[in-house]
Amino acid sequence: MIGRVVLLDQIAGREAAALMVDGQLEDLLIDPGVALAPGAICRGVIGRQMKGQGGVFVDLPQGARGFLREVKGLSPGQTVIVQVSGGTEPGKALPVTLRVLFKSRFAIVTPGAPGLNISRRVRDEDTRETLQALAEAEMADAQAGLILRSVAAHADGDEITEDIVAMRALSEAVMADLSGAPELLVDAPSPHEEAWRDWADPAPDEVIEGGFDDHGATDAIEALLQPRVELTDGAHMMIEPTRALIAVDVNTGNDTSPAAGLKANIAAARALPRQLRLRGLGGQITVDFAPMPKRDRQPLEQQLRTSFKGEAEASLAGWTPLGNFELQRKRDRVALRSLLGDAL
């Protein structure tokens, strides 16, 4: 299956969407089955500050609890508008943020962050000027900011205008709704809605209703539930989440050549961002790379920087005294194993 194909289906009774690129699973969205999924926008009430943890708890709808790291100027009992920013483990507070984003296919409205911005992926100057004019016309006197996404470069002006107007109106209504108890104000998008919104550029060659079984998505998802990831030349890596961190172990397999370690490690560095994204894993990640000379660390670090560029917020911390490599990745989704478990 050559090309970029979006599959809209279900898996284990949950709505799901898969992005296949040249037959390989590139991205995956699955309904977490909870009201306060990543992307949901709520009215919350500030609770007690957690000294030493750099944040405060927030009372959320349905008795849920969030954890907010932006604490400046906040006091207990204050009502705030927050957005769920990622997944978490059962029993832990949901990560929330005051930096609420109202996203649609063409436009992202950013309350509290003024300014009009065009995606850097739009390089044609005439197109940028046209989009800038649309943004200025529809966001005149707005306190919020606006980002026009790259797909807007290929869209009709009326469609873009309609999108901006709708997102601005929604953001202004929601951000003003500060009276009352904790309440869910905007649902998180469903997987099919999110696929339509976020997988539009480059445009898919085909969108198929169903097709997980026929196009290899189900098999790929089943493989993601296993810790072992096959690499090139018989090498492999093991990805194993624990409560404290994500442990990754890279092995050369039967290759005993002098360059075996570097080859396996480069292959792991290329594969790791995609594997973490598809598995919904984030937080602290510790990689035990295959043995190699210290002089080979520089090309490996360069490959890691290249591989993680453009991924969800990631920070490469570097080498530990014991020779492991540490990095941090935002938990932007619910972990795949917690969603599917042994359902497949």
Side-chain angles (χ1 to χ4, degrees), residues 258-310:
L262 180 59
K263 287 193 297 183
N265 292 337
I266 291 291
R270 288 172 176 160
L272 187 58
R274 172 177 164 270
Q275 288 291 328
L276 294 174
R277 180 175 68 252
L278 293 174
R279 294 165 187 257
L281 298 177
Q284 181 181 339
I285 299 155
T286 300
V287 186
D288 182 9
F289 281 111
M292 65 179 185
K294 281 192 175 181
R295 66 175 181 270
D296 289 338
R297 286 184 174 183
Q298 184 175 356
L300 177 57
E301 288 180 42
Q302 180 59 48
Q303 181 61 60
L304 284 166
R305 285 192 291 270
T306 300
S307 298
F308 277 95
K309 185 178 181 181

Side-chain angles (χ1 to χ4, degrees), residues 50-71:
M50 297 300 294
K51 294 183 178 180
Q53 295 188 26
V56 295
F57 285 120
V58 182
D59 295 330
L60 299 175
Q62 303 175 10
R65 187 172 64 167
F67 187 74
L68 176 66
R69 294 198 176 277
E70 304 119 296
V71 299

Side-chain angles (χ1 to χ4, degrees), residues 72-89:
K72 188 175 181 180
L74 300 178
S75 57
Q78 182 177 344
T79 303
V80 290
I81 305 297
V82 295
Q83 187 166 38
V84 180
S85 57
T88 191
E89 297 175 5

Side-chain angles (χ1 to χ4, degrees), residues 99-170:
R99 299 172 185 173
V100 180
L101 300 177
F102 292 85
K103 287 186 178 182
S104 190
R105 189 176 176 91
F106 305 122
I108 302 174
V109 172
T110 58
L116 305 179
N117 297 281
I118 313 299
S119 169
R120 285 178 291 183
R121 292 173 61 185
V122 180
R123 301 187 181 278
D124 181 77
E125 286 302 321
D126 290 340
T127 302
R128 292 186 67 86
E129 288 179 8
T130 300
L131 294 176
Q132 185 72 24
L134 283 173
E136 290 173 355
E138 300 306 328
M139 295 298 289
D141 302 322
Q143 294 183 347
L146 174 72
I147 301 169
L148 285 181
R149 311 181 78 178
S150 58
V151 70
H154 314 293
D156 178 77
D158 290 341
E159 289 183 298
I160 300 170
T161 297
E162 183 179 339
D163 217 26
I164 297 172
V165 170
M167 286 299 100
R168 176 178 175 177
L170 178 63

